[in-house]
Amino acid sequence: MTDLQNHSQRTAAARAGFSERTARRFDVDPTPPSQRKIVHGRTVADPLEGYWDTDLLPLLEKDSALQAVTLLRHLQSEHPLAFPDDRIRRTLERRVRQWRALMGPERDIIFRQTPEPGYMAQSDFTHAEELRVTIAGQPFQHLLYHFVMVYSRWEHVGVVLGGESFTALAENLQQALWSLGGVPQNHRTDSLSAAFRNLTADQREDITKRYDAFVGHYGMDASRNNRGEAHENGAVESQNRHLKKAIEQALILRGSRDFATIEDYRRFIDTLVAAVQAERTHLKPLPQRRTTDFTEIVVPVTRTGGFLVKSIFYSAPSQLIGQRLRVHLYDDRIEAFLVGTLVVTHPRGRGRDNGHRLHVINYHHVIHALRRKPQALWGSIYRDSLFPRTEYAEAWKVLQRDLPRRDACRRMVDLLFIAHEQACEAELAYLISADLDAGRVPEPGALVLLLAPKATVLPRDVAVAHPSLDSFDALLGASA
């Protein structure tokens, strides 16, 4: 105050060691803060006065789920001059929060449970795009199936190529149970809404019956958490985060997110999962055999040399044309049976190829027919799915660019026939790649001469000692 007589307020405040704003407060009221009476209550006018009781409260009482931002937009539409901006949003949020605490409906309470050994296991599917895993350089879209024993937190993880489905659940759950070596009393999942999506009522009922039969085979009780209540499946839901974090850290240590094959990636996942023995003594024994963990359909093999499954075309040996096959659909493969004999197996295809039907072709199934009709290769609808390796596809691009159509087809078919007949698919692909890198058009006749001859080991001559006829007479005489 003494400095204020000779200096400005800013200078006097600085000389006293406090801010100019504090100096202005002292000018208004020189009473020290410790001696001032604390004033409780509103210090500014209520911006919602006249609007809360008449405009907002009736809406909240009608439906308490309304959010504060929705109420603000309502006020702005009804009274645009009074509320031209979002300045009162925080005030409105506090008022709504306080109203819900005092007058709102009762809320659900989470009852924490004491887990029992051997009683409950939980299953869930979780997306894995954030891991950014690639297979042979290509982005790998997949889910992770996660099985957790609630008491011991023993877990099993499976890589799922398709979406959430009964097949993916049954196949991976069965694998988890046999890896665990026992059966829990109860198995809990979420509502499996993704598995039922886009299904008819009959299809949903069919999956429900199959799931009930599945858990019945293992003597388990099946339960599901209420829709939207993820905490009821909390043991596996919380473990999902820890699982993906552990995989993320392991990928960083590995130094690469790329794997040569899906099997390599699955082995990598398996190394991160460890067994816990504490719960096994409380589990029920496994049944004597596994049960069905696939979807089964019956399909005819058509004159086009294959069959349709879920709108995907799969090739088959030509001898099966006209036969009806019983196809087992797994998450990552299909297996086709004629009566009880496995006759066709393919990796499972999904989706569409640029809007066109996807084709899964094994060139071994069609190569003999193509050799009789090589010109059919040019316009074949599944030509691009026929080549077993990228080197063959690159060779076809060069052949159709540099040769007449007739010669290109015949030469390409000859390359495939050599790979089939001499079982040298990988070795021939290497030779084709070398020709392409050197700017040469692959010539089947020249390449076949470069193939290493198959090593054949002839059996050694076996010396056979012929017994004399007298020995037979002696043998017969002794028996008499």
Short mmCIF file of all heavy atoms in Angstrom, two decimals, residues 128-143 159-161 257-260 262 265:
data_model
loop_
_atom_site.label_atom_id
_atom_site.label_comp_id
_atom_site.label_asym_id
_atom_site.label_seq_id
_atom_site.Cartn_x
_atom_site.Cartn_y
_atom_site.Cartn_z
N ALA A 128 -8.52 -58.81 -33.77
CA ALA A 128 -7.06 -58.74 -33.65
C ALA A 128 -6.42 -57.85 -34.71
O ALA A 128 -5.21 -57.95 -34.95
CB ALA A 128 -6.47 -60.14 -33.72
N GLU A 129 -7.20 -56.96 -35.35
CA GLU A 129 -6.63 -56.10 -36.38
C GLU A 129 -5.53 -55.20 -35.82
O GLU A 129 -4.57 -54.87 -36.53
CB GLU A 129 -7.72 -55.22 -37.02
CG GLU A 129 -8.68 -55.97 -37.93
CD GLU A 129 -9.82 -56.59 -37.16
OE1 GLU A 129 -9.80 -56.54 -35.90
OE2 GLU A 129 -10.75 -57.12 -37.81
N GLU A 130 -5.67 -54.80 -34.55
CA GLU A 130 -4.70 -53.88 -33.96
C GLU A 130 -3.30 -54.49 -33.86
O GLU A 130 -2.31 -53.76 -33.72
CB GLU A 130 -5.16 -53.46 -32.57
CG GLU A 130 -5.27 -54.62 -31.58
CD GLU A 130 -6.23 -54.32 -30.46
OE1 GLU A 130 -7.45 -54.30 -30.72
OE2 GLU A 130 -5.77 -54.11 -29.34
N LEU A 131 -3.20 -55.82 -33.95
CA LEU A 131 -1.88 -56.46 -33.89
C LEU A 131 -1.12 -56.30 -35.20
O LEU A 131 0.10 -56.51 -35.23
CB LEU A 131 -2.04 -57.95 -33.56
CG LEU A 131 -2.71 -58.27 -32.22
CD1 LEU A 131 -2.90 -59.76 -32.06
CD2 LEU A 131 -1.88 -57.71 -31.07
N ARG A 132 -1.81 -56.00 -36.29
CA ARG A 132 -1.19 -55.73 -37.60
C ARG A 132 -0.31 -56.90 -38.07
O ARG A 132 0.78 -56.71 -38.59
CB ARG A 132 -0.38 -54.43 -37.58
CG ARG A 132 -1.16 -53.23 -37.11
CD ARG A 132 -0.40 -51.92 -37.29
NE ARG A 132 0.87 -51.92 -36.60
CZ ARG A 132 1.04 -51.73 -35.29
NH1 ARG A 132 -0.02 -51.52 -34.52
NH2 ARG A 132 2.24 -51.72 -34.75
N VAL A 133 -0.81 -58.11 -37.86
CA VAL A 133 -0.08 -59.31 -38.29
C VAL A 133 -0.25 -59.50 -39.79
O VAL A 133 -1.33 -59.26 -40.35
CB VAL A 133 -0.59 -60.55 -37.52
CG1 VAL A 133 -0.02 -61.83 -38.09
CG2 VAL A 133 -0.26 -60.42 -36.04
N THR A 134 0.80 -59.94 -40.45
CA THR A 134 0.74 -60.26 -41.88
C THR A 134 1.21 -61.69 -42.09
O THR A 134 2.05 -62.20 -41.34
CB THR A 134 1.61 -59.30 -42.71
OG1 THR A 134 2.98 -59.39 -42.25
CG2 THR A 134 1.13 -57.86 -42.56
N ILE A 135 0.65 -62.32 -43.12
CA ILE A 135 1.05 -63.67 -43.53
C ILE A 135 1.64 -63.57 -44.93
O ILE A 135 0.95 -63.18 -45.87
CB ILE A 135 -0.13 -64.65 -43.51
CG1 ILE A 135 -0.77 -64.71 -42.12
CG2 ILE A 135 0.32 -66.03 -43.97
CD1 ILE A 135 0.12 -65.27 -41.04
N ALA A 136 2.90 -63.91 -45.05
CA ALA A 136 3.62 -63.81 -46.33
C ALA A 136 3.47 -62.41 -46.92
O ALA A 136 3.31 -62.25 -48.14
CB ALA A 136 3.12 -64.87 -47.31
N GLY A 137 3.51 -61.40 -46.05
CA GLY A 137 3.45 -60.02 -46.50
C GLY A 137 2.07 -59.46 -46.71
O GLY A 137 1.93 -58.27 -46.98
N GLN A 138 1.03 -60.28 -46.58
CA GLN A 138 -0.34 -59.83 -46.81
C GLN A 138 -1.04 -59.63 -45.47
O GLN A 138 -0.89 -60.42 -44.55
CB GLN A 138 -1.11 -60.85 -47.64
CG GLN A 138 -0.52 -61.09 -49.02
CD GLN A 138 -0.48 -59.81 -49.86
OE1 GLN A 138 -1.46 -59.05 -49.90
NE2 GLN A 138 0.64 -59.57 -50.52
N PRO A 139 -1.83 -58.54 -45.33
CA PRO A 139 -2.57 -58.32 -44.08
C PRO A 139 -3.44 -59.52 -43.75
O PRO A 139 -4.10 -60.09 -44.61
CB PRO A 139 -3.42 -57.07 -44.40
CG PRO A 139 -2.69 -56.38 -45.50
CD PRO A 139 -2.04 -57.46 -46.32
N PHE A 140 -3.45 -59.90 -42.50
CA PHE A 140 -4.15 -61.10 -42.05
C PHE A 140 -5.34 -60.70 -41.18
O PHE A 140 -5.19 -60.33 -40.02
CB PHE A 140 -3.18 -62.00 -41.26
CG PHE A 140 -3.78 -63.30 -40.80
CD1 PHE A 140 -4.54 -64.07 -41.66
CD2 PHE A 140 -3.57 -63.76 -39.51
CE1 PHE A 140 -5.09 -65.27 -41.26
CE2 PHE A 140 -4.10 -64.96 -39.08
CZ PHE A 140 -4.87 -65.71 -39.98
N GLN A 141 -6.53 -60.76 -41.76
CA GLN A 141 -7.75 -60.44 -41.04
C GLN A 141 -8.21 -61.67 -40.28
O GLN A 141 -8.47 -62.71 -40.88
CB GLN A 141 -8.84 -59.98 -42.03
CG GLN A 141 -8.48 -58.76 -42.85
CD GLN A 141 -8.30 -57.52 -41.99
OE1 GLN A 141 -8.99 -57.35 -40.98
NE2 GLN A 141 -7.40 -56.64 -42.39
N HIS A 142 -8.30 -61.56 -38.96
CA HIS A 142 -8.67 -62.73 -38.17
C HIS A 142 -9.21 -62.31 -36.82
O HIS A 142 -9.10 -61.14 -36.41
CB HIS A 142 -7.47 -63.65 -37.99
CG HIS A 142 -6.36 -63.06 -37.15
ND1 HIS A 142 -5.57 -62.01 -37.60
CD2 HIS A 142 -5.90 -63.35 -35.90
CE1 HIS A 142 -4.70 -61.69 -36.67
NE2 HIS A 142 -4.87 -62.49 -35.62
N LEU A 143 -9.81 -63.28 -36.14
CA LEU A 143 -10.24 -63.12 -34.75
C LEU A 143 -9.40 -64.03 -33.87
O LEU A 143 -8.75 -64.96 -34.36
CB LEU A 143 -11.72 -63.49 -34.58
CG LEU A 143 -12.76 -62.71 -35.39
CD1 LEU A 143 -14.14 -63.30 -35.14
CD2 LEU A 143 -12.74 -61.24 -35.05
N VAL A 159 -6.71 -69.16 -33.30
CA VAL A 159 -6.77 -68.20 -34.39
C VAL A 159 -7.95 -68.56 -35.28
O VAL A 159 -8.02 -69.66 -35.81
CB VAL A 159 -5.46 -68.19 -35.20
CG1 VAL A 159 -5.57 -67.23 -36.38
CG2 VAL A 159 -4.29 -67.80 -34.31
N VAL A 160 -8.89 -67.64 -35.44
CA VAL A 160 -10.13 -67.88 -36.20
C VAL A 160 -10.06 -67.08 -37.49
O VAL A 160 -9.90 -65.85 -37.47
CB VAL A 160 -11.36 -67.47 -35.37
CG1 VAL A 160 -12.63 -67.66 -36.18
CG2 VAL A 160 -11.42 -68.27 -34.08
N LEU A 161 -10.20 -67.78 -38.61
CA LEU A 161 -10.07 -67.12 -39.91
C LEU A 161 -11.35 -66.43 -40.34
O LEU A 161 -11.32 -65.41 -41.01
CB LEU A 161 -9.64 -68.13 -40.98
CG LEU A 161 -8.36 -68.94 -40.66
CD1 LEU A 161 -7.96 -69.76 -41.86
CD2 LEU A 161 -7.24 -68.00 -40.25
N ARG A 257 6.25 -58.62 -37.61
CA ARG A 257 4.86 -59.04 -37.49
C ARG A 257 4.45 -59.94 -38.65
O ARG A 257 3.27 -60.27 -38.79
CB ARG A 257 3.94 -57.82 -37.42
CG ARG A 257 4.20 -56.95 -36.21
CD ARG A 257 3.37 -55.66 -36.24
NE ARG A 257 3.75 -54.81 -35.13
CZ ARG A 257 3.19 -54.82 -33.93
NH1 ARG A 257 2.19 -55.65 -33.70
NH2 ARG A 257 3.60 -54.03 -32.97
N ASP A 258 5.40 -60.32 -39.47
CA ASP A 258 5.10 -61.15 -40.64
C ASP A 258 5.46 -62.60 -40.34
O ASP A 258 6.51 -62.89 -39.75
CB ASP A 258 5.90 -60.66 -41.85
CG ASP A 258 5.50 -61.40 -43.11
OD1 ASP A 258 4.32 -61.30 -43.50
OD2 ASP A 258 6.35 -62.09 -43.69
N PHE A 259 4.57 -63.51 -40.76
CA PHE A 259 4.78 -64.95 -40.60
C PHE A 259 4.67 -65.61 -41.97
O PHE A 259 3.89 -65.17 -42.82
CB PHE A 259 3.76 -65.55 -39.63
CG PHE A 259 3.87 -65.02 -38.23
CD1 PHE A 259 3.26 -63.83 -37.88
CD2 PHE A 259 4.59 -65.71 -37.27
CE1 PHE A 259 3.35 -63.34 -36.58
CE2 PHE A 259 4.70 -65.23 -35.98
CZ PHE A 259 4.08 -64.04 -35.63
N ALA A 260 5.44 -66.66 -42.16
CA ALA A 260 5.44 -67.34 -43.46
C ALA A 260 4.09 -68.01 -43.72
O ALA A 260 3.57 -67.95 -44.83
CB ALA A 260 6.57 -68.36 -43.52
N ILE A 262 0.12 -69.47 -41.77
CA ILE A 262 -0.80 -69.36 -40.65
C ILE A 262 -0.38 -70.28 -39.52
O ILE A 262 -0.52 -69.95 -38.34
CB ILE A 262 -2.24 -69.66 -41.11
CG1 ILE A 262 -2.70 -68.62 -42.15
CG2 ILE A 262 -3.21 -69.69 -39.94
CD1 ILE A 262 -4.05 -68.90 -42.74
N TYR A 265 2.13 -68.69 -37.31
CA TYR A 265 1.50 -67.72 -36.41
C TYR A 265 0.79 -68.44 -35.26
O TYR A 265 0.87 -68.00 -34.10
CB TYR A 265 0.52 -66.87 -37.21
CG TYR A 265 -0.24 -65.86 -36.38
CD1 TYR A 265 0.40 -64.99 -35.51
CD2 TYR A 265 -1.63 -65.77 -36.47
CE1 TYR A 265 -0.30 -64.07 -34.76
CE2 TYR A 265 -2.35 -64.84 -35.73
CZ TYR A 265 -1.67 -63.99 -34.88
OH TYR A 265 -2.38 -63.08 -34.13
#
